[in-house]
Amino acid sequence: MLEKQLIESNNGVYNCWLNYAKCLNPKLVDQYKKICSCLVVNNNNTVKHTAVEELKLALKMIIGIEPLVSNEIPNSSYLFVGTLEDARAFQLETKITEKYADGSYEVKAADNEQNTALQIIGKDGTGVLYGIFYLIRNLRIGKEISQSQIVDIPRNKLRMINHWDNASGDIERGYAGQSFFYSNDEIIKNFSRIKDYARLLGSIGINGVVINNVNVHNIETKFITKEYLPDIARFADVFRNYGIKLYLSINYASPIELGGLKTADPLDEAVKQWWKKTADLIYDYIPDFGGFLVKADSEGRPGPFTYERNHAQGANVLAEALKPHGGIVIWRCFVYNCHLDWRDRSLDRAKAAYDNFKPLDGEFMDNVILQVKNGPMDFQIREAVSPLFGAMEKTNMILEFQAAQEYTGQQKHVCYLLPMWKEVLNFDTHAKGEGSYVSKVVDGSLFNSRYSGIVAVSNLGDSKCWTGHPLAQANLYGIGRIAWNPELSSEEIAKEWVKLTYGCDEGIVQTVVSILMESREVYEKYTSPLGIGWMVNPNYHYGPSVEGYEYSRWGTYHYADWKGIGVDRTVSTGTGYTAQYHEAVASMYENIETCPEALLLFFHHVPYKYQLKTGKTLIQHIYDTHFEGVEKVEEFIEKWMSLKGKINEEAFGLVCDRLRIQLKDSKEWRDQVNTYFYRRTGIKDIKGRKIYE
């Protein structure tokens, strides 16, 4: 079934980067045929069996061979596939040891006189799977076997995807169609697409998936009951084959709504016992269940505040229930008062997460992880890095990115997010002096954390290309690659994705990569300048609305008046937000002269005639960038049109459709934003361009 599906849709639309097109390089084909015609494997592990089947499928489709599978090492060429335990049984040497992280693997030439053997040795079955996909990836992008030797260790223990899917079939902040998990308040019956999805995630090293919305509604609340657990376990069965653990978002009020208790107070003994019995039940159905994701006391969700308890007390009651089973609690830090009166400029939503959680450092159990958004606001195209990274030395932490383009074009606009994510990971918190990068916080090395990692909010749906916009697949691919190895560059990941998806033609690679690498900055140019963010319709988070209010009837987030724009977050004259950073960072942001201009309006209220380092005034920068952004989208269209006839017609057409939407909407953004600031200031564009009045 899978092979038939791949053959019929071998175009980079449905199969994404697992596009097993036939290799046309005779030299490469001969190399891989010689090594891979015989696979030596001891199939005693479910995930390892999956890995071998994936390899056999790839070899058949890419180089046209069906390898012999043996449990003995032959005298001729061969490819050994096995775990550390297998390697020892065959008396093979490897650098992999028990101390290596789960999922680690080695690919090496075997000690053989003809140098015609290769070994893929994983610490465990999942490591074997990752090693297999590594070899397939290298074959697809044209690397010779001699270039494929590696010892590869995942930097982050947890590499996860959060789905915001509802049982209704709708996806909160979903821009790629309906859920492929649920429909009409029921769990889907046909799991073939779930398997295809598990393949995609397994191939990029994702090892955890949350399959329901953090805003848990009535039906999803019941997912932890006997009524639904048999079907939920079916999901776990599929994901398990690809080394992926299943997690569930839970409703903090479940003891009341499901258990008939009068309270969900985390210190109530009956509540504690209810959660323990519930955890026991879940693990009866899913022995390797990952744990709970919790959104509590935020945007109307129930939580411990109702009972005058804090977040640590709220999380720990769940952690106690899961701990005997090896489960974890992932507690989201997106917590703030959504009814603040923004006329009071001493208030600052950016301060909320730090204010809520910093005082609790050291009070969470060791199987609790705080899930922190990359910025203190809400996934804007550019905002400061959350000061919580580097602030909590005694607490596990996982970094939350959003692959779903909620505020970055909603998968109608091309917006490659890896450059943004790299900026976050490379940000120096100075928590332990210079070099205390966010990447070291979230991989656990800076504070010696037990759990750590990177998670992304899903950008997937039931659209044929999975992500609505075919180029948005690059963000999903990228989150897996960067979570595995944060040292990979944005461009390197983009090139990999393009080659795997559309082939290795240099013209295609250069063209698509150039679009991807410019796209984040281009989107920023025609939307919101210099870190101010928002300026979108508050109901849909899309489309220009310069004074679009967010959660408030009383004011905007950008504080624009006829004199200037921006939020004063300094200690000296503003909200005091800069004090949440360690000294070196705080001083940099506090001073308008040293504050990076890309975040100028995030930290300072600036006059329109303020001169930027380019020599332009702030108002002229706003005018220029909004015109430049539209011009760049026109360039994107020209570049993409040059690929007509060179890539699959369906993929080409889908991207064309999205680029037309992007051009139309970018012009609307340009015109509305520029008109707004012209009317606010009365200052004309020095270049004399038409600004709609």
Side-chain angles (χ1 to χ4, degrees):
M1 173 66 179
L2 178 58
E3 183 180 339
K4 182 175 184 291
Q5 215 169 35
L6 283 167
I7 292 171
E8 291 178 348
S9 188
N10 198 19
N11 54 29
V13 175
Y14 182 81
N15 298 313
C16 305
W17 53 88
L18 296 182
N19 176 18
Y20 292 162
K22 186 176 180 180
C23 179
L24 301 178
N25 181 334
K27 181 181 177 183
L28 207 62
V29 170
D30 288 344
Q31 279 188 14
Y32 280 86
K33 275 186 176 180
K34 188 174 185 180
I35 296 291
C36 300
S37 292
C38 178
L39 306 183
V40 178
V41 58
N42 178 18
N43 276 321
N44 57 3
N45 175 286
T46 302
V47 180
K48 188 168 61 176
H49 174 77
T50 300
V52 172
E53 291 304 305
E54 286 289 342
L55 179 59
K56 288 164 63 178
L57 175 64
L59 293 174
K60 181 176 181 179
M61 298 192 67
I62 300 171
I63 61 176
I65 65 169
E66 296 190 37
L68 171 70
V69 178
S70 172
N71 59 6
E72 295 182 355
I73 293 179
N75 295 324
S76 57
S77 303
Y78 67 93
L79 171 62
F80 175 85
V81 177
T83 61
L84 176 59
E85 183 181 354
D86 295 332
R88 288 172 176 166
F90 281 85
Q91 298 182 327
L92 301 177
E93 293 185 1
T94 177
K95 294 178 181 178
I96 300 294
T97 72
E98 286 87 356
K99 294 181 180 180
Y100 279 52
D102 292 346
S104 299
Y105 64 88
E106 180 181 23
V107 179
K108 59 172 288 190
D111 295 327
N112 134 321
E113 292 181 2
Q114 291 77 33
N115 196 29
T116 56
L118 198 67
Q119 298 168 357
I120 298 177
I121 300 172
K123 180 194 172 183
D124 46 27
T126 306
V128 175
L129 179 76
Y130 297 152
I132 290 292
F133 276 122
Y134 166 81
L135 187 68
I136 295 170
R137 180 165 68 240
N138 282 359
L139 169 58
R140 284 285 294 116
I141 64 179
K143 286 190 176 182
E144 297 186 5
I145 286 180
S146 61
Q147 299 173 292
S148 295
Q149 299 190 62
I150 192 173
V151 175
D152 210 0
I153 305 166
R155 273 273 300 274
N156 291 288
K157 184 170 185 176
L158 297 173
R159 306 174 300 278
M160 300 180 65
I161 299 293
N162 285 181
H163 284 267
W164 287 359
D165 295 38
N166 301 315
S168 64
D170 297 324
I171 303 173
E172 185 168 340
R173 310 306 180 200
Y175 312 109
Q178 294 290 100
S179 172
F180 48 78
F181 294 124
Y182 320 108
S183 179
N184 298 318
D185 291 335
E186 292 184 355
I187 292 172
I188 55 95
K189 305 295 187 221
N190 184 344
F191 271 46
S192 61
R193 187 171 179 124
I194 306 301
K195 180 181 178 181
D196 292 346
Y197 177 46
R199 294 181 67 241
L200 291 173
L201 295 189
S203 72
I204 53 175
I206 297 296
N207 65 358
V209 61
V210 182
I211 62 169
N212 63 307
N213 192 356
V214 292
N215 295 311
V216 185
H217 305 106
N218 180 48
I219 299 295
E220 303 96 78
T221 296
K222 299 176 184 177
F223 283 180
I224 57 176
T225 67
K226 287 182 179 180
E227 180 182 358
Y228 283 89
L229 277 170
D231 282 332
I232 297 297
R234 292 177 63 214
F235 287 123
D237 291 342
V238 176
F239 286 118
R240 184 180 300 112
N241 291 335
Y242 287 87
I244 302 165
K245 283 191 175 184
L246 183 136
Y247 297 74
L248 289 172
S249 297
I250 57 106
N251 180 347
Y252 200 81
S254 291
I256 299 172
E257 297 189 20
L258 300 177
L261 302 183
K262 294 181 179 180
T263 181
D265 182 350
L267 300 190
D268 184 280
E269 192 59 36
V271 172
K272 292 181 180 180
Q273 291 304 314
W274 188 88
W275 279 115
K276 287 179 179 179
K277 290 179 181 178
T278 298
D280 292 344
L281 176 67
I282 294 169
Y283 282 92
D284 283 344
Y285 285 93
I286 310 171
D288 58 351
F289 179 66
F292 297 145
L293 174 65
V294 188
K295 177 179 178 180
D297 288 310
S298 179
E299 300 181 321
R301 298 305 303 162
F305 285 8
T306 302
Y307 311 100
E308 299 184 352
R309 313 301 186 194
N310 62 38
H311 290 287
Q313 292 167 322
N316 288 346
V317 67
L318 302 173
E320 287 177 6
L322 295 174
K323 193 174 182 65
H325 305 280
I328 60 177
V329 175
I330 304 173
W331 192 272
R332 291 184 87 233
C333 294
F334 186 55
V335 176
Y336 67 100
N337 184 344
C338 61
H339 301 291
L340 289 176
D341 182 346
W342 298 108
R343 291 174 298 183
D344 182 350
R345 295 198 179 188
S346 67
L347 299 173
D348 188 354
R349 172 174 162 180
K351 296 169 67 176
Y354 185 101
D355 287 346
N356 272 281
F357 289 94
K358 170 61 176 173
L360 300 176
D361 190 23
E363 296 185 19
F364 294 91
M365 288 182 59
D366 66 357
N367 62 325
V368 175
I369 310 169
L370 298 186
Q371 182 166 306
V372 183
K373 289 188 177 184
N374 60 272
M377 298 299 281
D378 195 7
F379 299 129
Q380 298 303 294
I381 187 64
R382 192 181 296 275
E383 59 181 286
V385 174
S386 172
L388 271 179
F389 299 111
M392 303 187 71
E393 299 188 15
K394 302 173 185 177
T395 306
N396 300 313
M397 192 167 290
I398 189 169
L399 166 60
E400 179 181 348
F401 289 131
Q402 190 185 48
Q405 295 172 224
E406 179 179 355
Y407 291 100
T408 54
Q410 298 192 354
Q411 287 148 244
K412 299 175 186 175
H413 300 222
V414 56
C415 190
Y416 182 52
L417 297 171
L418 268 294
M420 177 199 297
W421 297 344
K422 284 286 293 182
E423 287 173 9
V424 174
L425 290 164
N426 292 338
F427 179 78
D428 194 343
T429 68
H430 286 263
K432 287 193 170 183
E434 190 174 353
S436 301
Y437 303 112
V438 170
S439 62
K440 293 183 178 179
V441 176
V442 300
D443 72 12
S445 62
L446 191 65
F447 301 133
N448 196 28
S449 306
R450 180 181 179 188
Y451 292 102
S452 58
I454 295 175
V455 60
V457 178
S458 161
N459 62 347
L460 296 146
D462 68 356
S463 75
K464 188 168 185 180
C465 70
W466 296 89
T467 55
H469 194 314
L471 299 186
Q473 292 175 6
N475 290 325
L476 180 63
Y477 179 82
I479 197 64
R481 298 292 287 130
I482 207 170
W484 181 278
N485 180 7
E487 302 305 317
L488 293 172
S489 72
S490 304
E491 186 172 12
E492 184 178 358
I493 292 170
K495 286 180 178 178
E496 275 186 8
W497 176 77
V498 174
K499 289 179 179 180
L500 293 169
T501 307
Y502 296 119
C504 296
D505 177 272
E506 195 57 36
I508 294 174
V509 174
Q510 288 183 2
T511 299
V512 180
V513 169
S514 69
I515 292 172
L516 290 174
M517 291 302 295
E518 289 186 272
S519 59
R520 183 265 186 116
E521 185 178 347
V522 168
Y523 183 86
E524 183 179 30
K525 280 177 179 288
Y526 60 75
T527 53
S528 57
L530 303 175
I532 195 62
W534 311 101
M535 294 189 177
V536 295
N537 185 307
N539 297 316
Y540 308 108
H541 298 179
Y542 181 85
S545 180
V546 183
E547 288 194 341
Y549 299 169
E550 181 69 10
Y551 306 113
S552 171
R553 296 183 289 111
W554 298 292
T556 65
Y557 274 168
H558 53 67
Y559 296 140
D561 54 27
W562 66 276
K563 294 180 181 179
I565 180 176
V567 183
D568 184 350
R569 291 191 162 99
T570 66
V571 172
S572 56
T573 57
T575 69
Y577 168 78
T578 57
Q580 293 186 344
Y581 293 94
H582 291 277
E583 209 299 306
V585 181
S587 297
M588 175 182 67
Y589 287 145
E590 180 80 9
N591 187 337
I592 194 171
E593 297 300 322
T594 57
C595 180
E597 283 192 341
L599 291 169
L600 183 66
L601 303 184
F602 188 91
F603 285 102
H604 298 275
H605 190 79
V606 182
Y608 292 111
K609 293 186 179 180
Y610 176 85
Q611 191 173 70
L612 302 176
K613 291 181 175 63
T614 60
K616 295 180 182 180
T617 61
L618 172 59
I619 187 64
Q620 192 60 43
H621 173 86
I622 292 173
Y623 292 152
D624 285 351
T625 53
H626 283 77
F627 279 105
E628 290 166 6
V630 173
E631 291 164 4
K632 278 291 185 180
V633 177
E634 292 172 335
E635 287 182 22
F636 287 174
I637 293 174
E638 185 177 346
K639 286 182 177 180
W640 187 257
M641 292 305 295
S642 72
L643 300 179
K644 186 175 178 62
K646 296 181 180 179
I647 65 172
N648 173 267
E649 185 177 343
E650 184 177 21
F652 179 82
L654 285 170
V655 175
C656 283
D657 291 343
R658 295 291 176 168
L659 285 173
R660 282 192 284 267
I661 293 171
Q662 184 171 359
L663 180 60
K664 174 181 174 294
D665 292 351
S666 65
K667 288 179 178 178
E668 185 179 0
W669 242 296
R670 174 199 65 192
D671 296 342
Q672 288 202 26
V673 173
N674 281 348
T675 298
Y676 174 88
F677 285 105
Y678 173 70
R679 289 175 176 172
R680 272 284 188 185
T681 65
I683 302 172
K684 294 183 178 180
D685 172 23
I686 62 173
K687 297 181 180 178
R689 291 165 296 197
K690 182 178 180 181
I691 294 177
Y692 289 81
E693 302 176 22

